Amino acid sequence: MTDPTAAEVPRPGVGAPPAGTRRPAARDELRAAAVALRGEGRSVGDIAARLGVAKSTAYLWVRHLPLDPDEEVARERRRAHSKVMTDARWSAHRQARDAARAAAVADAAALVGSMEHRELVMVGAALYWAEGEKAKPWRPHECRVRFINSDPGLVGIFVRFVEAMGVSREALRFRVSIHETADAEAAVRWWAERVAVPAETFRPTSFKRHRPTTVRRNTGEEYRGCLIVEVPRSRQLYWRIEGIMKGMGDGAAGEGR
């Protein structure tokens, strides 16, 4: 006779799996939570810490979900992280370097003091001869004084030099040269403050055409283009600058003998 209770005992391989092979439901919940966190952009280490599991386990759960599908985004994130780490590592060194530079600049500035007329004339002439517009060999008689620079300090020295040579600031012609993508009106106002003349007296701005293929560093709010300073009817002044430079050169040559 067949035992009626025999059917109630599951045979190996038939019916429910053995209790030892079942995965706890809590583990499935952790895996789902890991996937959700990965979808939020969390790193493997962050996921492991939040869920209280090993990093290797968290990685196995989310390795099929790359953190950044766009590789360019991933590279940018790595670059930003690298910059943060580098800045933190070199922060103390850079602060010490910047402090040393500021001290050296202040000491040198105090050493110069205020320039006398003769010093200003010599410095201004040398500045113009290095940075200003000069007559070309194929146009030797086209002598005019025209200075262009992006450094407000050099522009200020040149304007003072011209005044020392007898030309009033009001007689000068100012014009901003700037890329067409920049804020030209703001640049005019900024330069007008630096040279202490009304912005309304500036000549029309000269625009540089933007070329997308060119990699430019002079961008952003700090970019204000260059200032062009022209001295009208300046042939005589040009000749005098030429003479000052000749005198300085002849003097230096005489001292070397």
Side-chain angles (χ1 to χ4, degrees):
M1 180 182 290
T2 304
D3 186 352
T5 62
E8 299 176 3
V9 180
R11 290 177 295 171
V14 179
T21 64
R22 296 175 183 170
R23 291 186 301 161
R27 203 71 168 171
D28 293 334
E29 294 176 359
L30 287 176
R31 181 192 293 268
V35 171
L37 289 171
R38 189 64 160 182
E40 296 175 3
R42 305 288 182 179
S43 66
V44 170
D46 190 14
I47 294 172
R50 285 172 176 268
L51 300 182
V53 299
K55 290 180 68 174
S56 58
T57 301
Y59 170 74
L60 290 174
W61 287 345
V62 301
R63 62 183 176 181
H64 64 292
L65 300 172
L67 185 60
D68 287 309
D70 187 342
E71 184 58 28
E72 181 58 32
V73 174
R75 283 196 296 268
E76 185 60 33
R77 178 171 293 173
R78 287 194 293 269
R79 284 194 292 266
H81 176 72
S82 177
K83 184 179 185 304
V84 170
M85 297 300 292
T86 301
D87 289 345
R89 186 181 302 114
W90 291 97
S91 177
H93 167 75
R94 288 170 176 169
Q95 290 178 4
R97 176 202 61 195
D98 293 344
R101 177 180 181 178
V105 170
D107 290 344
L111 177 64
V112 172
S114 59
M115 289 189 290
E116 300 294 336
H117 177 81
R118 182 173 182 273
E119 296 171 335
L120 178 58
V121 166
M122 295 174 68
V123 169
L127 171 63
Y128 182 80
W129 215 242
E131 296 286 333
E133 183 177 303
K134 294 181 287 293
K136 303 297 188 293
W138 55 91
R139 290 184 301 195
H141 303 298
E142 195 170 288
C143 304
R144 63 172 180 171
V145 178
R146 185 173 183 267
F147 185 81
I148 177 171
N149 210 275
S150 62
D151 188 326
L154 296 184
V155 170
I157 293 174
F158 174 72
V159 172
R160 289 173 56 199
F161 160 70
V162 170
E163 290 180 316
M165 297 296 289
V167 180
S168 68
R169 187 172 303 220
E170 291 73 18
L172 302 178
R173 298 170 181 168
F174 298 97
R175 182 194 305 270
V176 171
S177 175
I178 196 168
H179 283 86
E180 60 185 354
T181 56
D183 189 341
E185 294 183 2
V188 169
R189 292 193 299 270
W190 188 85
W191 278 111
E193 292 178 1
R194 298 303 175 281
V195 296
V197 299
E200 295 76 17
T201 64
F202 272 49
R203 298 300 175 95
T205 299
S206 175
F207 290 101
K208 303 175 185 178
R209 186 176 299 278
H210 175 63
R211 297 180 180 177
T213 57
T214 302
V215 179
R216 290 174 48 219
R217 302 290 184 181
N218 53 346
T219 58
E221 295 181 358
E222 298 301 317
Y223 170 61
R224 297 168 178 109
C226 298
L227 185 65
I228 303 171
V229 185
E230 296 185 33
V231 183
R233 298 180 296 279
S234 54
R235 178 182 295 181
Q236 288 284 343
L237 176 58
Y238 184 94
W239 292 347
R240 293 177 67 190
I241 295 174
E242 192 174 25
I244 294 170
M245 293 306 301
K246 182 179 186 304
M248 292 171 61
D250 291 346
E255 292 176 0
R257 295 193 184 96

